[in-house]
Amino acid sequence: MKFSEILEKLGDAAAVNSLSIKKEYDPEITALAAVDEATSGTLSYIEGTKFSAMVSKTNASALILPPDETLQAQAQERDIAWIATLEPRLLFAKVLKLFYQPWRPAPDIHSTAVIHPTAKIGNEVYIGPHVVIHQGVEIGNGVCIHPNVVIYPDTKIGDRTTLHANCTIHERTLIGTDCEIHSGAVIGAEGFGFVPTATGWLKMEQSGYTVLEDGVVIGCNSAVDRPAVGETRIGRYTVIDNLVQIGHGCQIGAGCALAGQSGMAGGVKIGNRVILAGQVGIANQVKIGDGAIASAKAGIHSDVPPREIVSGTPALPHKQYLKVSAVLSRLPDIYQSLKQLQRQIGQK
């Protein structure tokens, strides 16, 4: 695809570009690549000044750049075609869609699929080998269900949702439109509800619902648990990485991002646009406000205000955590100084 064709498909997003200066240089773009791995015929991107030195080193034929005239001039000198935008990574993601679309099978129902006669199946649906769909299930239009998926009774799957191979959807689960559930994920399984008694643990039946709103993505081998009563809810366009645990009765807002191995106990309430980095742990019933961020391995035991950034275990406001970390690294020296002072005092 010619660079000019890419610009045409991007429309207004590509308004500032090198062809307005040097129309004769219109390279053929055959692939996309990381800037340090790019070769002739590939397009890459530079995100901010941290990577600006790569403009003089990369072998890419085209770059997506920030609106920096110096970087643009460097690219121009090396005959690298460029597009300028405030969000290079976002534009790179849009260009990537021009070169790659995930594999999606044509609508069909495989002969080995087991579908209960009461299940309702929409139009243009793909149901792969060895899929099991129980009674009362409703499948929307354009849904794609890959091999070995099991869908328990009384479940609804919205239009254009994709269920990847070997995921399991338990009863009382409602999944919205345009969701994507990756392999090995378990949605709506029984929450960890047990009551201690004199003779052991009494199981509390989990009779609630699990709700995934529109556009939710669940990563491989993640679990979203069903509560005893009420619902566990994931807000629209929230994205959840692999190996994430969502406890029973949790409420997660819209547009959140939960990275791998993060987990939360039951009843946690998370606002909109919250980010949890890898291995963040959240204690029972904690509330996290809109726009908050938890850095990797943060252990959150108390409520977090909106737009706060927290780090460490137990989690502290990030600026305070940095001060604590600075002191922590000096503890051996401080300890030696303390011992010396004690000896001096003891000699007096």
Side-chain angles (χ1 to χ4, degrees), residues 76 93 111 119 135 177 213 225:
Q76 203 82 33
S111 60
Q135 66 266 27
T177 62
E213 296 182 3
D225 289 351

Side-chain angles (χ1 to χ4, degrees), residues 298-314:
I300 302 176
H301 300 273
S302 57
D303 294 353
V304 176
R307 293 175 294 283
E308 183 72 87
I309 302 175
V310 296
S311 301
T313 302

Side-chain angles (χ1 to χ4, degrees), residues 241-323:
D241 197 3
N242 303 333
L243 299 167
V244 172
Q245 162 66 24
I246 310 296
H248 53 87
C250 289
Q251 306 288 312
I252 298 177
C256 297
L258 282 58
Q261 297 185 348
S262 57
M264 59 197 70
V268 169
K269 290 182 170 58
I270 294 179
N272 300 322
R273 302 175 306 282
V274 170
I275 297 175
L276 304 182
Q279 296 189 337
V280 168
I282 308 176
N284 190 54
Q285 303 293 329
V286 164
K287 297 179 177 63
I288 298 180
D290 292 350
I293 298 174
S295 64
K297 295 189 175 183
I300 302 176
H301 300 273
S302 57
D303 294 353
V304 176
R307 293 175 294 283
E308 183 72 87
I309 302 175
V310 296
S311 301
T313 302
L316 299 170
H318 187 65
K319 290 182 179 179
Q320 183 179 355
Y321 169 78
L322 292 177
K323 293 177 182 178

Side-chain angles (χ1 to χ4, degrees), residues 65-149:
L65 299 172
D68 184 312
E69 292 184 0
T70 301
L71 294 182
Q72 294 164 17
Q74 289 177 2
Q76 203 82 33
E77 289 172 5
R78 298 194 60 215
D79 281 337
I80 299 174
W82 54 265
I83 314 167
T85 176
L86 290 171
E87 297 181 284
R89 188 163 178 254
L90 176 60
L91 193 60
F92 184 78
K94 292 179 179 179
V95 175
L96 191 57
K97 286 181 178 292
L98 302 178
F99 284 83
Y100 170 77
Q101 290 294 322
W103 175 73
R104 187 180 181 89
D108 186 30
I109 298 179
H110 196 272
S111 60
T112 61
V114 179
I115 303 173
H116 195 275
T118 62
K120 298 178 181 178
I121 310 297
N123 300 318
E124 301 294 306
V125 170
Y126 171 77
I127 299 176
H130 307 293
V131 169
V132 178
I133 300 176
H134 286 278
Q135 66 266 27
V137 171
E138 296 183 18
I139 306 293
N141 299 323
V143 169
C144 181
I145 305 175
H146 288 278
N148 300 322
V149 170

